[in-house]
């Protein structure tokens, strides 16, 4: 099989919006998650709202006022993901154990779960519940 390298198409610029279009570096994403997990600059009330479950998807997964909240035997984790035709990312932090990972990839066409699979290996955790949320396998009308 012969593989031909083709240039990546240039995607149009989108106006920034709160629900998406965040463009930053992995280190800045890590600093953001560390701040939410252990606030030094955010008001304590704001950080608390970000970490408080607002919508329960199942016994192990909720949405806060921003990040998802995943419950496991290691404690709770805050997480968020991003995906577009030419990239995917995920950031997960366990505040109690002060462990986490930020994974940014430049392609999701071959494996739409590659960032999550890397995070699972890095943290030694099964994130199938998060995988369901990323793939919108929950009935949000409940």
């Amino acid at each position: 099989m012969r593989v031909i390298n083709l240039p990546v198409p240039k995607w149009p610029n989108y106006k920034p919006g709160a629900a998406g279009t965040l463009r930053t570096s992995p280190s800045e994403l890590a600093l953001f998650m560390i701040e939410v997990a252990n606030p030094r600059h955010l008001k304590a009330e704001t950080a608390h709202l970000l970490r408080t479950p607002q919508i329960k998807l199942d016994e192990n997964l909720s949405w806060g006022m921003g990040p998802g909240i995943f419950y496991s035997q290691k404690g709770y984790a805050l997480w968020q993901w991003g995906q577009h035709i030419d990239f995917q990312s995920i950031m997960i932090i366990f505040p109690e154990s002060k462990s986490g990972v930020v994974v940014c990839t430049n392609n999701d066409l071959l494996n739409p779960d590659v960032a999550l699979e890397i995070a699972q290996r890095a943290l030694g955790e099964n994130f199938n519940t998060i995988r369901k949320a990323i793939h919108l396998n929950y009935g949000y009308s409940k």
Side-chain angles (χ1 to χ4, degrees), residues 4-12 84-87 106-109:
I4 298 173
N5 290 324
L6 299 173
V8 175
K10 182 176 179 182
W11 297 103
H84 196 273
I85 195 158
D86 56 349
F87 77 89
N106 64 353
N107 191 337
D108 72 335
L109 297 176

Side-chain angles (χ1 to χ4, degrees), residues 2-37:
R2 184 175 164 208
V3 177
I4 298 173
N5 290 324
L6 299 173
V8 175
K10 182 176 179 182
W11 297 103
N13 281 333
Y14 295 100
K15 290 185 179 184
T21 68
L22 176 66
R23 296 180 183 174
T24 188
S25 67
S27 59
E28 292 292 327
L29 288 174
L31 288 172
F32 170 74
M33 289 302 275
I34 290 167
E35 180 64 25
V36 172

Side-chain angles (χ1 to χ4, degrees), residues 20-137:
T21 68
L22 176 66
R23 296 180 183 174
T24 188
S25 67
S27 59
E28 292 292 327
L29 288 174
L31 288 172
F32 170 74
M33 289 302 275
I34 290 167
E35 180 64 25
V36 172
N38 187 19
R40 294 182 346 184
H41 305 288
L42 284 174
K43 289 182 181 178
E45 302 84 35
T46 302
H48 178 73
L49 282 173
L50 290 169
R51 296 188 313 258
T52 301
Q54 302 295 319
I55 299 172
K56 186 174 182 176
L57 298 176
D58 68 21
E59 64 277 356
N60 295 319
L61 193 67
S62 300
W63 284 116
M65 296 291 285
I69 305 166
F70 170 72
Y71 304 93
S72 77
Q73 292 181 4
K74 287 184 174 181
Y76 79 97
L78 302 172
W79 67 277
Q80 187 56 268
W81 96 103
Q83 190 166 10
H84 196 273
I85 195 158
D86 56 349
F87 77 89
Q88 66 174 260
S89 64
I90 190 156
M91 49 188 172
I92 302 172
I93 187 169
F94 286 88
E96 294 163 350
S97 65
K98 298 183 179 174
S99 63
V101 66
V102 173
V103 180
C104 295
T105 69
N106 64 353
N107 191 337
D108 72 335
L109 297 176
L110 299 177
N111 181 350
D113 294 329
V114 70
L116 186 61
E117 290 171 12
I118 294 168
Q120 286 185 145
R121 289 182 185 197
L123 295 172
E125 184 71 45
N126 182 326
F127 293 127
N128 284 332
T129 303
I130 292 175
R131 184 184 319 271
K132 285 175 62 179
I134 289 171
H135 291 284
L136 305 176
N137 290 338

